[in-house]
Amino acid sequence: MHWKILTYNIHHGRNADGRISLPRLAAVISAEQPDLAALQEVDRFLPRSRMRDQALVLAAHTGLHHAFAANIRWLGFMQYGNAVLSRLPLLEQRRLSLPGTGEKRGLLIVRLTREKRTVIFLCTHLGLDRSERKQQLTAIRDSITLFTE
């Protein structure tokens, strides 16, 4: 079973020219033709990204299925986190909070089926501090069995 996987820190949709352009970002993703894409720094209903649900917009532009998990929330509805785009339908999604003292981090776990086999795919954005990353990786390793049983 061959997979094409893309990971992409989208910086809330901001391109190299400093402008937010989800259609241009979607074109980059589509050109790669991934089976699965792990996206970090995704906005949902934030003013800086024109109050858009970026995962939903990218899914619509690429024709892929999507999941989103917020790591940070403001005023209950503005969110910032990780997303997964998938060529195949997603059967389940979960979010795990990761330890750390810096920016809140989380792990987005999705489950899908391909060729009658269950696949678990993980998406995260680890912290910037080495000791924090070590704690986060330990938490991910210790929780994997919870999602594969």
Side-chain angles (χ1 to χ4, degrees):
M1 181 178 343
H2 176 76
W3 291 85
K4 186 162 187 184
I5 295 174
L6 171 73
T7 184
Y8 197 165
N9 182 332
I10 69 165
H11 300 283
H12 61 272
R14 191 169 304 281
N15 294 307
D17 63 6
R19 290 191 235 152
I20 293 176
S21 175
L22 295 181
R24 197 159 59 170
L25 184 58
V28 170
I29 294 168
S30 292
E32 292 300 321
Q33 299 181 338
D35 295 302
L36 291 163
L39 308 179
Q40 302 84 32
E41 297 189 18
V42 181
D43 281 359
R44 190 181 224 181
F45 311 128
L46 286 170
R48 71 179 177 190
S49 53
R50 301 183 199 117
M51 304 301 284
R52 293 187 179 153
D53 180 337
Q54 291 186 324
L56 179 66
V57 171
L58 290 171
H61 281 284
T62 60
L64 300 173
H65 301 274
H66 79 285
F68 173 83
N71 296 325
I72 301 173
R73 295 174 186 268
W74 297 274
L75 302 174
F77 70 97
M78 293 186 289
Q79 303 169 354
Y80 177 69
N82 300 313
V84 168
L85 299 177
S86 172
R87 191 159 310 287
L88 297 170
L90 299 169
L91 305 175
E92 180 183 8
Q93 76 175 65
R94 297 183 190 181
R95 183 191 173 278
L96 173 70
S97 292
L98 296 177
T101 56
E103 182 178 298
K104 289 182 184 179
R105 305 290 178 163
L107 177 69
L108 172 56
I109 305 116
V110 298
R111 186 174 60 84
L112 57 142
T113 302
R114 181 172 173 187
E115 297 173 7
K116 298 182 182 178
R117 297 174 78 175
T118 297
V119 176
I120 305 294
F121 184 68
L122 311 175
C123 173
T124 192
H125 185 321
L126 297 175
L128 303 179
D129 178 75
R130 176 176 271 189
S131 64
E132 186 176 49
R133 285 194 305 267
K134 186 175 180 180
Q135 291 174 355
Q136 292 166 348
L137 289 169
T138 298
I140 292 168
R141 182 198 66 211
D142 292 347
S143 359
I144 292 296
T145 56
L146 298 174
F147 304 105
T148 57
E149 294 176 344

